[in-house]
């Protein structure tokens, strides 16, 4: 008897998905339209490598953050370099900004990007190990009008896809007001130590403001009387925060102040925000961002203000309905072989402006309709014997139900 080796089929890694079928249609629909809106706001496309030096994320996202502490895909490459699959996009964009001396050139820069990010988290609904972000970063503008502009752009993107959201807003202060606030907070938290959870006890030492967004209900109850950063802002941060609220109010953008919104990345100062949805379960944040005026300097560049956001694409796609893509898809079919040549000509012409699917196997009327629906076509156009003789084409709009037989030239 010969030895047979049973080979197990190779599967994708846990928390890492293929993007295919309906999701791939939605994915490209999202990118195309989000990019269009970003371009309308003056942003241009920017791409950085997926792999970066580990030190970049340690220095920017922060050594005490969960991302750096627990979630990095970090390894030593063949050249003995300590590298890491990017867990987020901002750090790479800032690295490139400094490396390419944009900080020295001065001026204003608005860039958008999209691509895969990697975090070794416990996978669950809405939480992946490889996920995709659509992000935007602005450099060189300290005006709070830009904070409002970024929030309005994000809102426009979500509105375009008819996504309901809640906007949560906070100010994390600056180097003048954050250190005394932090000290004050630590004093308050130290008294609560025995009752706070184990993680919070560690955070008091490493990054006390992260205690504020602990998900433990008991900790949240204990924090009720904790000092609030928004009551401890310096004059400059307070004026900016009030102005931001005024601009959002003026533009009819609803928000909630969440003084416990601290974000999980260490580089933020002043404005911090998150867009959440109640329709996607526990992982409710669809986008988040804020100002990072010290990050360029921190990564070795000249002090340059920065602000940005990132949308979690997979979470967002959960909220976009297929029938909202508004994409016109023409399905072309023949009832006999003789009509196929004509169909190739029509397809060639229509493809200059439309998405066209062509079926090469002649079939009956009903079968063509079934196939067309399966492929999400919105218009079914068929040529049978009579149409071929008359130089016409039968067409039905599957959305409105309208049917007509028209001359091929009019099609
Ligand atoms: P973030 O809040 O860590 O911010 O991520 C932004 C979004 O990415 C989240 O709101 C969420 O929708 C999505 N996301 C995060 N982790 C996962 C995951 N494991 N699975 C699926 N989706 C996820 C940043 O990354 C900052 N770089 C944003 C930014 C840009 N701030 C300034 N500029």
């Amino acid at each position: 008897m010969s030895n047979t080796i049973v080979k197990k089929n190779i599967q994708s890694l846990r928390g890492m998905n293929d993007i295919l079928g309906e999701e791939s249609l939605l994915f490209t629909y999202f990118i195309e339209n989000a990019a269009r809106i970003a371009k309308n706001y003056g942003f241009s496309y920017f791409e950085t490598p997926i792999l970066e030096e580990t030190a970049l994320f340690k220095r920017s996202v922060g050594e005490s953050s969960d991302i750096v502490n627990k979630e990095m895909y970090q390894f030593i490459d063949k050249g003995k370099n300590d590298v890491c699959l990017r867990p987020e996009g901002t750090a790479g964009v800032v690295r490139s900004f400094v490396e390419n001396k944009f900080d020295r050139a001065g001026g204003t820069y608005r860039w958008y990007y999209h691509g895969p990010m990697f975090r070794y988290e416990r996978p669950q609904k809405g939480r992946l190990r490889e996920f995709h972000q659509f992000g935007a970063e602005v450099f060189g503008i300290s005006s709070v009008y830009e904070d409002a502009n970024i929030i309005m752009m994000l809102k426009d993107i979500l509105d375009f896809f008819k996504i309901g959201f809640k906007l949560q807003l906070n100010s994390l202060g600056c180097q003048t007001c954050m250190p005394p606030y932090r000290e004050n907070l630590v004093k308050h938290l130290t008294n609560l130590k025995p009752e706070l959870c184990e993680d919070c006890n560690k955070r008091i030492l490493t990054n006390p403001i992260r205690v504020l967004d602990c998900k433990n209900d008991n900790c949240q109850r204990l924090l009720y009387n904790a000092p609030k950063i928004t009551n401890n802002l310096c004059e400059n941060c307070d004026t900016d925060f009030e102005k931001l609220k005024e601009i959002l109010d003026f533009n009819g953008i609803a928000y909630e102040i969440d003084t416990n919104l601290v974000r999980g990345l260490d580089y933020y100062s002043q404005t911090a925000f998150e867009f959440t949805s109640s329709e996607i379960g526990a992982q409710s944040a669809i986008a988040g961002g804020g100002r990072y005026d010290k990050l360029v300097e921190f990564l070795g560049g000249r002090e340059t203000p920065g602000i940005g956001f990132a949308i979690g694409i997979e979470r967002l796609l959960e909220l976009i309905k297929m029938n909202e893509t508004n994409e016109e898809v023409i399905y072309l079919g023949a009832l006999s072989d003789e009509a196929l040549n004509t169909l190739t000509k029509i397809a060639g012409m229509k493809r200059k402006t439309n998405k066209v699917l062509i079926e090469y196997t002649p079939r009956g009327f009903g079968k063509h309709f079934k196939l067309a629906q399966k492929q999400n076509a919105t218009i079914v156009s068929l040529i049978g014997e009579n149409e071929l003789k008359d130089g016409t084409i039968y067409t039905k709009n599957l959305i409105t139900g309208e049917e007509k037989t028209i001359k091929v030239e009019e099609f």
Side-chain angles (χ1 to χ4, degrees):
M1 224 169 76
S2 67
N3 276 343
T4 47
I5 301 167
V6 182
K7 285 189 187 151
K8 202 171 139 244
N9 282 350
I10 296 168
Q11 297 189 326
S12 65
L13 297 174
R14 199 167 162 239
M16 300 200 178
N17 294 341
D18 301 314
I19 298 169
L20 40 81
E22 199 169 283
E23 199 188 6
S24 86
L25 290 178
L26 285 177
F27 198 94
T28 46
Y29 173 67
F30 169 74
I31 300 280
E32 280 163 16
N33 287 290
R36 179 180 50 73
I37 294 168
K39 283 181 200 159
N40 287 351
Y41 272 79
F43 285 72
S44 51
Y45 184 66
F46 202 85
E47 190 162 322
T48 59
I50 290 169
L51 205 57
E52 297 269 5
E53 246 185 77
T54 301
L56 172 66
F57 303 107
K58 285 193 174 168
R59 258 200 250 171
S60 55
V61 176
E63 302 245 21
S64 69
S65 67
D66 285 350
I67 295 180
V68 168
N69 251 319
K70 309 181 193 160
E71 298 168 2
M72 299 235 279
Y73 275 87
Q74 182 185 353
F75 60 96
I76 306 295
D77 74 4
K78 290 194 169 84
K80 303 214 177 352
N81 305 297
D82 187 351
V83 294
C84 179
L85 292 176
R86 64 181 181 195
E88 61 102 52
T90 311
V93 176
V94 176
R95 193 258 318 127
S96 174
F97 181 82
V98 176
E99 190 172 336
N100 289 291
K101 302 190 172 56
F102 289 105
D103 56 332
R104 288 175 183 273
T108 301
Y109 303 89
R110 287 192 177 86
W111 292 318
Y112 75 91
Y113 53 87
H114 49 83
M117 309 292 158
F118 301 83
R119 296 183 192 176
Y120 194 86
E121 296 189 80
R122 195 170 49 78
Q124 64 175 83
K125 186 176 163 16
R127 190 158 75 192
L128 295 160
R129 286 181 175 169
E130 182 186 19
F131 60 99
H132 295 76
Q133 284 186 346
F134 181 95
E137 314 291 350
V138 179
F139 296 93
I141 307 179
S142 57
S143 164
V144 75
Y145 277 95
E146 191 59 25
D147 304 38
N149 196 45
I150 275 278
I151 290 173
M152 277 153 75
M153 170 165 135
L154 188 42
K155 179 185 177 294
D156 276 359
I157 293 176
L158 299 181
D159 282 351
F160 177 82
F161 297 106
K162 302 190 181 69
I163 288 168
F165 61 83
K166 216 160 74 176
L167 164 59
Q168 276 149 341
L169 199 62
N170 195 16
S171 173
L172 297 174
C174 65
Q175 283 187 328
T176 307
C177 49
M178 181 41 99
Y181 167 72
R182 196 182 288 122
E183 215 171 286
N184 208 352
L185 181 67
V186 170
K187 266 192 213 142
H188 183 86
L189 297 176
T190 308
N191 295 330
L192 299 172
K193 257 181 154 180
E195 292 169 84
L196 287 168
C197 74
E198 204 181 310
D199 274 350
C200 282
N201 268 284
K202 281 188 207 144
R203 287 181 190 131
I204 295 175
L205 302 171
T206 56
N207 192 357
I209 65 159
R210 284 300 315 279
V211 172
L212 296 174
D213 77 349
C214 177
K215 301 289 173 280
N216 183 314
D217 287 343
N218 188 45
C219 295
Q220 277 306 324
R221 196 178 46 77
L222 292 166
L223 290 168
Y224 190 75
N225 289 321
K228 312 248 176 286
I229 175 70
T230 44
N231 296 333
N232 291 276
L233 295 172
C234 61
E235 201 185 329
N236 192 25
C237 289
D238 193 45
T239 309
D240 277 354
F241 197 43
E242 289 307 312
K243 185 72 191 172
L244 174 61
K245 289 191 272 181
E246 181 198 309
I247 306 167
L248 295 178
D249 289 338
F250 189 78
N251 283 282
I253 297 174
Y255 55 85
E256 273 173 20
I257 303 297
D258 179 356
T259 51
N260 288 347
L261 177 74
V262 297
R263 312 269 303 126
L265 308 97
D266 287 357
Y267 47 64
Y268 294 111
S269 55
Q270 293 202 309
T271 307
F273 56 85
E274 239 165 48
F275 284 70
T276 59
S277 161
S278 54
E279 290 170 44
I280 47 171
Q283 302 305 315
S284 60
I286 39 182
R291 197 163 260 291
Y292 48 84
D293 287 350
K294 291 283 155 207
L295 187 55
V296 173
E297 203 182 351
F298 215 68
L299 291 177
R302 271 194 196 157
E303 187 173 346
T304 311
I307 181 166
F309 69 77
I311 299 173
I313 300 181
E314 282 83 356
R315 288 187 195 170
L316 197 100
L317 296 194
E318 289 266 314
L319 296 161
I320 305 180
K321 304 285 172 298
M322 192 61 204
N323 57 7
E324 279 169 13
T325 56
N326 290 327
E327 192 184 39
E328 192 173 86
V329 182
I330 302 172
Y331 173 100
L332 292 178
L335 273 71
S336 63
D337 272 335
E338 293 72 47
L340 280 172
N341 280 0
T342 311
L343 284 191
T344 55
K345 205 171 220 171
I346 295 173
M349 282 172 343
K350 285 309 264 186
R351 279 182 177 141
K352 301 209 188 320
T353 50
N354 286 81
K355 178 168 168 179
V356 178
L357 308 170
I358 178 164
E359 170 57 40
Y360 298 123
T361 311
R363 329 170 170 266
F365 211 73
K367 285 214 169 118
H368 273 308
F369 269 90
K370 270 197 194 137
L371 258 180
Q373 272 159 348
K374 228 176 166 175
Q375 295 174 69
N376 297 311
T378 53
I379 292 173
V380 180
S381 302
L382 305 173
I383 299 190
E385 224 173 280
N386 287 343
E387 286 82 10
L388 195 61
K389 202 162 68 217
D390 301 343
T392 56
I393 184 163
Y394 161 87
T395 141
K396 179 168 182 176
N397 184 320
L398 295 184
I399 312 285
T400 63
E402 190 197 349
E403 284 178 285
K404 55 189 175 190
T405 299
I406 49 170
K407 284 277 176 204
V408 166
E409 307 85 75
E410 290 167 25
F411 181 63

